[in-house]
Structure formats: C-alpha cells, structure tokens
Amino acid sequence: MHSHDSRIPSRGQGLSLPEPNQAAQEASLRLIEQIRAEIVAAGGLLPFDSYMQLVLYAPGLGYYSGGSRKFGPEGDFVTSPEISPVFGQCLARQCQQVFTQLEQPGILEFGAGSGALAVALLRELMRLDDLPERYLILELSAELRHRQ
C-alpha cells in the first residue's frame, strides 16, 4: 500500500481555485488591517476566540457578515440539508425519540445557515404529527438571521 493516493491531488497539483474578485480582495485587506490593529491593541497577543470572532463576524468584513453568498452552488460550500431533505428527515425521527422523554420538547439549532435543515426537520416532524413546543435558532450572523 502506498502512502500517497494518486487520486488525491497533492498541494498545487490539479487544484484550481478561483481568484477572489477585487472587492473581496480589498475587504480581505481591510480585515487583515483590523486584525493587526486588534493584536497591537491587545499588547501583541490576541486570544484565538477574539481572532475567530473578527474573522467570522467583523461587521461588513467577516466571513459570515461580509455579504457574500455562503451556501449552495453559488456559494463557498454545500451542506447536506442544501442538497436533500433526507438528513433533516432522519434527524426528525431521532428528535421524535428524544421528545418522548421531555415534558416540553424543543429544539435549539446553532448556526442554522440558510435554514434548510430547520425546514426539512420541521416538515418531517409535522408529517409525523410531533412538532416541538418551539424551535430556536442561535445565529451570530445578522445576514444569516435575516435569511432564516
């Protein structure tokens, strides 16, 4: 058995990533400057959670707050709920089993993206006649909250 699978491109081989457009490059540079300023303000060390908060949620610049499309064919990635409701349907059946042990069944979804999982899950639970008392979404991105 070889240590390298020839079907998997190694770094720089066979990978063709699109070049970000000018606006995305400029936003990236502004975000880098903001992160640098935060590092200086923090005395040279920035905690990882602060760094990730900036990278993901800095107003108008972070990954989830910069305005670019995230999900689906035009976005950066596709998750299983975007492709098919099957994952949500399977998860709904597991939720239904847990609901039997709860007085007030509810669901809390963290980072619900486009809301596709919530839709598939709730549709299946409605079909099973077992909707939860409430379905909550905890979303830090204002842009994604609006879509959801």
Side-chain angles (χ1 to χ4, degrees), residues 22-126:
Q22 187 67 31
Q25 289 179 33
E26 289 170 6
S28 182
L29 291 174
R30 286 194 309 274
L31 180 58
I32 289 168
E33 288 306 313
Q34 185 173 346
I35 292 169
R36 284 183 178 148
E38 292 284 336
I39 291 170
V40 169
L45 295 173
L46 188 64
F48 183 73
D49 64 328
S50 298
Y51 168 78
M52 289 307 298
Q53 182 69 25
L54 288 168
V55 169
L56 297 176
Y57 301 107
L61 298 174
Y63 181 76
Y64 289 114
S65 59
S68 66
R69 182 130 171 101
K70 306 295 179 270
F71 307 104
E74 300 86 34
D76 291 342
F77 59 91
V78 177
T79 61
S80 58
E82 301 289 331
I83 296 170
S84 164
V86 172
F87 179 69
Q89 292 165 347
C90 292
L91 191 57
R93 294 186 179 249
Q94 183 64 50
C95 289
Q96 188 180 36
Q97 289 176 356
V98 172
F99 288 171
T100 64
Q101 301 172 23
L102 302 174
E103 287 182 30
Q104 294 181 321
I107 296 173
L108 172 60
E109 183 179 354
F110 290 88
S114 69
L117 176 62
V119 169
L121 206 155
L122 289 170
R123 280 187 178 153
E124 182 66 8
L125 286 170
M126 187 179 347

Side-chain angles (χ1 to χ4, degrees), residues 57 64 109-114 137-142 144-145 148:
Y57 301 107
Y64 289 114
E109 183 179 354
F110 290 88
S114 69
I137 295 174
L138 179 60
E139 181 62 67
L140 298 178
S141 167
L144 292 176
R145 275 195 309 267
Q148 294 158 6

